[in-house]
Amino acid sequence: SREPSSKPSREPSREPSAVPSSDPSNVACDIDVMVVCQTDKGVSCDSIQPPNGTCSSGEKLDVIQFTYLPGNTCENSSNQQIGVAQCQDIAPLVEGPISLSCKNGNGNSDILVTAVDIGEGIQLFTVDRIITDLILPPQINCTILSNQSGTMVSLQWNLIDTSGNVSLGLKETYGALQVESCGVGGEEKVCIQELNMISYVDNVGTDFMNVTLLERILNGGPPSDLLEFVIPNPLA
């Protein structure tokens, strides 16, 4: 006869495994990034306040700035100089770039005009003064022109009162010209300001770091590549 097999031993108890440790900290690769924003005059972007929109104060203007609105014919003008300002469409407006030529109200004295591209195809025109004077004349006579196959074609003509005695305000439109700033007695009221964005990248880790990508996205726009400005690279 066969003896019955012994009873199976009890199943050994299993102790729970230890709680996994937290991820190791990697202090070898760690950086701090700081961005400083200020105007070209050194004013912090956080402290910029919208200007008073009135340009007429009884004094002649020193300077006035315009942007070009390619969709604005004379019928789209929106300003307070009704019965004073004049506008004439000469040829169809173009997307740009365009040129702006200004004279005094009589058309016999040139006024200094400078242009700068401020991005996204927007041109900013500064109408500064009569070349022989330090202030603008009581009226400015400005013509928008386009270079078409080597020929300068006049698109629109505007007469605007800059005497300070007729209402003139920021963001008013005179045909395709929109007022962006004005200056009286050395004091400027500005809607568009040049900003300086300064980025500081500091290696706070323990090892040298080779930065391979550094981009800045402003107001949801396309990224700007800043890698070339990381000097020195690698960071100590």
Side-chain angles (χ1 to χ4, degrees), residues 14-15 50 66 69 80 84 117 124 152 166 175 187 196 207:
R14 295 181 179 177
E15 295 293 331
F66 301 102
L69 305 178
Q80 304 171 74
V84 177
D117 189 340
L124 182 66
M152 297 304 293
V166 177
E187 179 183 350
N196 297 318
D207 289 349

Side-chain angles (χ1 to χ4, degrees), residues 24-188:
S25 60
N26 187 359
V27 295
C29 295
D30 197 7
I31 62 171
D32 281 342
V33 178
M34 179 176 66
V35 178
V36 176
C37 176
Q38 59 187 22
T39 70
D40 58 339
K41 294 180 174 61
V43 178
S44 169
C45 296
D46 293 336
S47 60
I48 296 175
Q49 298 294 325
N52 181 313
T54 302
C55 294
S56 47
S57 63
E59 296 183 54
K60 291 180 183 178
L61 272 66
D62 305 326
V63 63
I64 188 168
Q65 287 184 322
F66 301 102
T67 48
Y68 170 64
L69 305 178
N72 266 38
T73 63
C74 292
E75 290 184 355
N76 302 120
S77 296
S78 177
N79 59 71
Q80 304 171 74
Q81 296 194 5
I82 299 173
V84 177
Q86 299 178 38
C87 180
Q88 180 181 355
D89 290 313
I90 304 169
L93 298 172
V94 298
E95 286 297 320
I98 55 99
S99 298
L100 187 66
S101 173
C102 294
K103 298 179 179 294
N104 65 352
N106 296 325
N108 55 17
S109 295
D110 291 330
I111 300 175
L112 183 63
V113 179
T114 56
V116 62
D117 189 340
I118 59 175
E120 299 182 1
I122 301 174
Q123 292 175 276
L124 182 66
F125 296 93
T126 301
V127 183
D128 209 339
R129 63 186 186 277
I130 299 179
I131 293 177
T132 58
D133 205 343
L134 297 178
I135 57 176
L136 292 174
Q139 293 180 319
I140 57 174
N141 178 338
C142 295
T143 302
I144 298 170
L145 304 108
S146 170
N147 188 336
Q148 299 182 8
S149 302
T151 301
M152 297 304 293
V153 177
S154 297
L155 307 181
Q156 189 184 86
W157 167 82
N158 281 281
L159 182 70
I160 304 169
D161 192 291
T162 51
S163 67
N165 297 316
V166 177
S167 294
L168 175 68
L170 298 177
K171 292 301 181 181
E172 290 185 352
T173 57
Y174 296 82
L177 299 179
Q178 178 167 276
V179 181
E180 301 294 354
S181 81
C182 58
V184 178
E187 179 183 350
E188 268 194 89

